[in-house]
Structure formats: C-alpha cells, structure tokens
Amino acid sequence: MTPTDPSIHVLILAGGAGTRFWPASRAARPKQLLPLLGGEPLLTATARRVLPLCARGGRAGWERVWIATGQHLVAPTRAALPEVSERRLLVEPAPRNTAPCIGWAAATVARDDPEAVVVVLPSDHHIGDVPRFLEALGAAVASAQGGAITTIGIRPTHPETGFGYIEAEEAAGADGAAPRKPRKVRRFVEKPSRERATEFVASGRFLWNAGMFIFRAGDMLAAIRAHLPALAAGLDEIDRAAALGPDAEAEAVLRVFPGLPAVSIDHGVMEHVAGLAVVPGDFGWSDVGSWQSAWELADKDERGNSAPAGSVLIDAHGNHVVDLRARAAPDDPRVIALVGVEGLVVVETDDALLIVPRDRAQEVKHAVDALKSRGQGRHT
C-alpha cells in the first residue's frame, strides 16, 4: 500500500475551545480556526497537508477527508474548509470526548468499506517537515492494513511533563532518519512527573503521545465492541437508522449520541488493545499548546521579536505580538510600539487586550476563568 491508496480516509478532530489562546480563541472560534502561525487556520493547514494521503489530488481526495466538530462550529469550519462537503462533516450534538466520534467515523466509513484505513489526526498541531510526516503516516498505514491498530509517537526532545507517553518494546532510535519500523506498544503512561519524564527520555523506549491513530475501520469497531460495549450498541443503533436514509440517521444521531459514554479513545480502547503498534516520528511536531509555543514557531527578527509589519520595536527582545482586530481598511493607521520590554506576549482583538510574560503564557486560562466568574462570559 502507498500513501496515495484511495482506500485511506482521514478524520480530523476539530472540536474544543483552547482557552490557552485567549483572547484570540473563543468558544465560537477555537484554536484550530485561528491563523496562529500566520497565513491559514491550523485546521486548513492540517487538511491540506494530508490530502496526498487520500488520493492523488482533485475532488476524490477531499471526498475522503472527514471533519468531526460541534454544532456551534459548523459554519466557521465550513468557511475554513469549503472543499469538504457537508456529507463529510460529522457534527456532534454534544461533546462526548474522542472515542464516540472516532467510533462514529469508523462505522460510517465501514458501511462502504470495512477494510478502509482511517487516519485520525488532531486539527490544531504544527508539522515542520511535511514530507517526513507523510512518510511516517505511510508506514503507519501499512501497519494498519496488516491488522494492527497503530499510533504515531513523537521522539521526545526533552523531559516534557505536559504530554502522555507511549512505551515501545524496543528503543525508537534517535537519529531522525527515515521512518522506523513499527514497534509493539507496551503501555500508555499519563503525564509524568519531571523525574519520571527524565527517566523516560533517557531510556529511549518512550515516545510522546500526539493523538494520531491509524486503523482499518472494521478493526476499530471490533476493538470498541470488545472494550466499550455501550458505545458499540449506540453505534449499531445509528447504523440501523442510516440504512433507512439520511433523515433517519440524523434523527438517531441527535437522540443517541448525547447518551454515549464520554471517554477518550486512549482510555477506552488503546490502553486495552493487544498488538497495538507505534511508529516513531521525527518531523518537527508541535501541539502549539500556548502563546509561548506560537512564539517559538513564528518568524522572528534578529532580537527574537515576532510582530506585525510596521510595529515599532525599540530595545525590545523576545516578544510575541499578535494583532487580530477586524480592520476597516487595509491601511489601518494603528501602530503597535514596544519600548524597553522583554519576553512579553501581547495579543489584541476587537474587544480584548492580553499582556502576559511569555514564561507564564500557560496561565492565560485564569483570565478566562475570572471573566466567567464576573459574568463577562461574552468575552470568552
């Protein structure tokens, strides 16, 4: 199988809020819909980079791209990806974590082809080396076609405590060359302490869990039936309704989906599956988890500043400035000036201004909590 085999479908998980990117990110405009790295939204970039995986191009490729999102995000999601047809939007009537929407996608794809390979990807990550990323996905697809539910693990660059880890049965190697052969997975590990993370990285057997899963549709449904029987029963009910037509299916989704077990695919399935495989990946991955991450990935001047063109930066170092106001005209006269400051994040929108030290960027969510407690949820 090659990465352009037409039996490959891609499911992009595009729900969530992303409060760590307030004030840019809001309930109706979450992280994946923002151009955090300049240019297009993260969701758009995710879909375009994997399009070659689905087909050699053209409409057939887009017909194998699926988006799972919430009802309140349908309009902005379609605006970000007009190429994806409405029939390929899996609109969740209630948030139930990742296992129900992944199971729903697998069941939907399996109606036409249970042997089809489904690639599940987050919508809001950054990939620095796309060719190497596609090579790793190709190795994972081949593993999945052979019957192994497969994930891609990121070779850790430091003892990160904010990610879960995957332990493989053998060391993954560290030279970042061509994609390695799939390894058998020993276990998934929750976010560790600094001491344990240091041990994990030193061992060479542990990889960061990036939330990428690759499987044949029928294999995932079998795993769900074995480990999440309540979810399997709900998916069967939706499937029976789908056989009666689109209207019956839509009614069943509205009725059944909110009652499905709210569980992640990691906890509900992956931690229990025998024969799980992991492909080590090294392709410039980032989860773009905070304004600090956005600064790290952004283009910067010789003093480490990332700022809009025309900004005035005097004796300023290592700052990240983002202007997301809706301008009335291209020649908006607003000028942003920073003088004698270092290591700041400055984000301006039409109704909010954030200023925070870069090394405290993870604490932005506290501002969101404060606004909600003061009854100013409209700003969140």
Side-chain angles (χ1 to χ4, degrees):
M1 173 179 284
T2 69
T4 53
D5 190 297
S7 67
I8 300 171
H9 295 246
V10 174
L11 170 67
I12 301 175
L13 305 179
T19 56
R20 287 175 294 182
F21 280 97
W22 185 87
S25 179
R26 307 293 178 92
R29 188 183 59 185
K31 171 185 168 187
Q32 70 269 12
L33 296 174
L34 298 173
L36 291 175
L37 305 178
E40 59 191 4
L42 295 176
L43 170 60
T44 308
T46 298
R48 293 194 189 283
R49 81 168 63 101
V50 296
L51 191 60
L53 197 70
C54 302
R56 297 185 182 277
R59 187 65 186 175
W62 287 110
E63 282 297 321
R64 293 181 175 86
V65 175
W66 301 76
I67 311 294
T69 191
Q71 182 63 56
H72 67 297
L73 296 177
V74 170
T77 297
R78 295 195 68 186
L81 284 174
E83 300 91 345
V84 176
S85 72
E86 187 173 0
R87 296 181 297 111
R88 295 299 184 253
L89 291 181
L90 299 179
V91 181
E92 304 168 22
R96 306 306 291 162
N97 215 315
T98 55
C101 69
I102 290 174
W104 183 19
T108 304
V109 170
R111 289 173 204 158
D112 294 327
D113 183 5
E115 297 296 310
V117 173
V118 179
V119 176
V120 178
L121 301 173
S123 61
D124 54 2
H125 292 179
H126 168 76
I127 303 297
D129 189 335
V130 175
R132 184 172 287 177
F133 171 63
L134 292 176
E135 289 176 7
L137 280 180
V141 165
S143 172
Q145 192 189 28
I149 295 178
T150 304
T151 183
I152 291 180
I154 306 300
R155 289 187 178 90
T157 58
H158 59 278
E160 174 62 53
T161 61
F163 301 147
Y165 284 71
I166 301 167
E167 184 182 11
E169 286 194 352
E170 56 184 299
D175 60 8
R180 301 285 180 172
K181 66 178 182 180
R183 268 83 170 161
K184 291 183 179 180
V185 170
R186 277 187 179 170
R187 57 174 173 150
F188 282 72
V189 182
E190 291 297 316
K191 297 174 183 178
S193 65
R194 175 68 60 180
E195 182 179 6
R196 291 193 74 202
T198 301
E199 294 173 357
F200 289 171
V201 174
S203 76
R205 297 191 311 275
F206 286 83
L207 302 158
W208 288 337
N209 180 5
M212 304 181 195
F213 303 106
I214 303 92
F215 48 82
R216 289 187 303 199
D219 293 337
M220 176 55 68
L221 292 176
I224 289 173
R225 196 168 300 281
H227 302 292
L228 291 173
L231 174 56
L235 296 175
D236 286 345
E237 189 170 351
I238 293 173
D239 255 359
R240 287 192 295 270
L244 302 177
D247 291 343
E249 179 182 9
E251 185 278 329
V253 169
L254 289 174
R255 174 171 44 82
V256 174
F257 200 92
L260 296 177
V263 60
S264 72
I265 198 70
D266 306 62
H267 291 315
V269 176
M270 299 300 173
E271 293 178 1
H272 310 290
V273 169
L276 191 70
V278 58
V279 173
D282 184 2
F283 37 72
W285 172 88
S286 170
D287 72 336
V288 198
S290 68
W291 286 118
Q292 167 69 16
S293 300
W295 171 80
E296 292 170 355
L297 294 167
D299 293 332
K300 294 178 277 290
D301 65 17
E302 66 278 5
R303 294 183 176 180
N305 297 300
S306 173
S311 298
V312 176
L313 304 169
I314 300 173
D315 191 24
H317 305 267
N319 299 291
H320 187 58
V321 182
V322 181
D323 185 358
L324 293 172
R325 293 171 300 121
R327 291 174 172 78
D331 58 348
D332 185 344
R334 175 75 65 90
V335 172
I336 298 175
L338 273 62
V339 180
V341 295
E342 181 176 354
L344 292 181
V345 171
V346 180
V347 183
E348 185 173 19
T349 66
D350 288 332
D351 65 345
L353 172 65
L354 168 71
I355 302 174
V356 63
R358 268 196 5 252
D359 60 4
R360 297 184 64 180
Q362 292 279 6
E363 299 178 41
V364 169
K365 60 185 179 182
H366 297 320
V368 176
D369 293 339
L371 286 168
K372 290 179 178 177
S373 68
R374 288 161 44 178
Q376 293 179 281
R378 68 186 185 279
H379 292 299
T380 65

